[in-house]
Amino acid sequence: MTLLGQETPRWRSRLEEADSPVDEINIPKLDGYCPTQDHEWCEVVIEGQPRRIRFHNYAELYKIPTLYEELFYEKLKCCSPSRVAGLLEDVMTDFGQEASDLCVLDVGAGNGMVGDELAARGVRQLVGIDIVQEARDAADRDRPGLYEDYLVTDLTNVPENEEELLRAKKFNCLSCVAALGFGDIPVKAFAKAVDLIETPGWLAFNIEESFLSERDDSGFCSLIRELSRQEIIQIQAYRRYQHRISVTGEPLHYVAVIARKLRDMPDDILANVDEA
Ligand SMILES: C[S@@+](CC[C@H](N)C(=O)[O-])C[C@H]1O[C@@H](n2cnc3c(N)ncnc32)[C@H](O)[C@@H]1O
């Protein structure tokens, strides 16, 4: 199926088939106030019942079938899972590599939007991680069988048995989309995720552009610079694009990054990453 000459996004096809309890999503009129992404909220009506939901209350969002896609993808025009997966595919093609060779650790996996895009490009082995149980439940509900395993865990403090399980998978690719910063995945957890990827491997992630600026004090910019400086990673693609619009209709620009992991991360980098 095509939409203005483009492929219909995978999430839209799924929405068309789903039974949605969402009657309305109303974005507030804020009279000049521009909340940061972690403070955005909306009013929803679910089977006749109105309620207010903060965007970063993922546990509540995921419990309501189709709400995540209807809010972020339909209403706020998010495109990041396909943008990041598409960029990874392009770079891999330049390297003469196939997506079917990837064993992907999808961090901040949510209900499987990114896993879905990767699977559509031929990735067969996917493991998800998220910090909330509701994300795993939503992935099982919305995309059953997509992930061969899905851990609910905190990457800043992974229990030994889970770390063993993860390392045994020998991941050669990390995906992390729409999940870094803003009170979501902190820099320490991201560093741990990079550490869990084998060498050589791939990293495919996105991040709001200010986290990569000189003025960033979250730690993401300095970690990525240090990894590049020490040639632990080599950035292959760096693409600025509109991730979605904000509640006030402004474009939110992110950067999609595809990097090669060239060598293992020395212990001191992980030990010295500051909590954001
Ligand atoms: C905006 S959603 C993105 C989900 C998915 N990657 C996508 O693109 O649709 C951010 C996800 O990151 C998860 N998250 C937030 N903090 C986390 C953490 N410290 N560790 C793992 N996941 C986290 C949230 O629970 C949520 O599912």
Side-chain angles (χ1 to χ4, degrees):
M1 216 187 303
T2 62
L3 180 77
L4 299 175
Q6 292 181 329
E7 284 289 304
T8 304
R10 296 181 64 73
W11 60 265
R12 189 181 293 281
S13 314
R14 210 187 66 74
L15 264 192
E16 281 165 8
E17 288 160 17
D19 194 9
S20 170
V22 182
D23 301 326
E24 274 178 48
I25 300 177
N26 296 310
I27 302 292
K29 302 229 178 324
L30 295 173
D31 289 334
Y33 166 60
C34 293
T36 53
Q37 285 180 51
D38 44 343
H39 288 100
E40 289 178 311
W41 53 274
C42 63
E43 305 271 7
V44 294
V45 182
I46 309 296
E47 292 176 331
Q49 299 297 314
R51 55 198 270 204
R52 177 181 285 209
I53 295 196
R54 197 169 71 87
F55 287 8
H56 278 211
N57 188 348
Y58 298 111
E60 286 307 303
L61 277 169
Y62 291 137
K63 276 190 214 160
I64 302 163
T66 74
L67 179 58
Y68 183 74
E69 282 91 337
E70 288 190 56
L71 173 60
F72 289 113
Y73 291 81
E74 200 150 63
K75 202 98 182 162
L76 300 175
K77 305 187 186 331
C78 180
C79 61
S80 286
S82 64
R83 286 305 281 264
V84 176
L87 195 59
L88 174 65
E89 186 181 35
D90 286 354
V91 175
M92 288 189 72
T93 303
D94 291 346
F95 275 74
Q97 293 192 16
E98 305 276 341
S100 56
D101 296 333
L102 296 180
C103 178
V104 178
L105 177 63
D106 185 22
V107 172
N111 70 343
M113 303 278 298
V114 178
D116 204 13
E117 290 290 340
L118 292 170
R121 287 166 173 81
V123 174
R124 277 189 272 280
Q125 263 189 294
L126 283 157
V127 172
I129 287 190
D130 206 286
I131 204 164
V132 296
Q133 177 65 40
E134 288 82 353
R136 179 185 164 152
D137 296 343
D140 284 345
R141 177 194 66 210
D142 299 341
R143 296 174 177 86
L146 178 65
Y147 293 101
E148 69 173 37
D149 221 331
Y150 194 125
L151 269 64
V152 176
T153 199
D154 178 356
L155 276 176
T156 59
N157 190 16
V158 188
E160 217 169 284
N161 62 328
E162 288 185 352
E163 175 145 359
E164 265 173 35
L165 188 150
L166 290 167
R167 291 210 185 269
K169 298 275 184 193
K170 298 199 177 302
F171 298 110
N172 59 5
C173 182
L174 167 70
S175 60
C176 185
V177 175
L180 296 177
F182 293 115
D184 285 347
I185 296 176
V187 67
K188 204 177 179 74
F190 180 64
K192 182 69 183 180
V194 174
D195 184 50
L196 288 169
I197 305 303
E198 297 275 297
T199 300
W202 291 97
L203 312 179
F205 62 95
N206 74 344
I207 189 160
E208 201 266 344
E209 62 179 348
S210 67
F211 287 99
L212 296 182
S213 84
E214 291 286 346
R215 292 181 301 280
D216 169 65
D217 59 6
S218 70
F220 281 106
C221 184
S222 43
L223 174 68
I224 291 164
R225 277 181 186 209
E226 190 56 17
L227 294 176
S228 302
R229 195 185 65 76
Q230 294 197 27
E231 297 183 347
I232 294 160
I233 68 168
Q234 184 179 56
I235 292 180
Q236 296 294 334
Y238 184 101
R239 179 80 192 262
R240 180 180 187 267
Y241 68 101
Q242 182 178 307
H243 156 69
R244 67 168 169 88
I245 55 171
S246 70
V247 282
T248 54
E250 297 302 313
L252 297 176
H253 289 112
Y254 274 50
V255 177
V257 178
I258 308 299
R260 291 283 283 153
K261 184 175 174 194
L262 301 175
R263 64 184 187 90
D264 292 347
M265 199 187 297
D267 290 343
D268 64 312
I269 292 202
L270 204 52
N272 293 330
V273 173
D274 293 326
E275 294 272 8

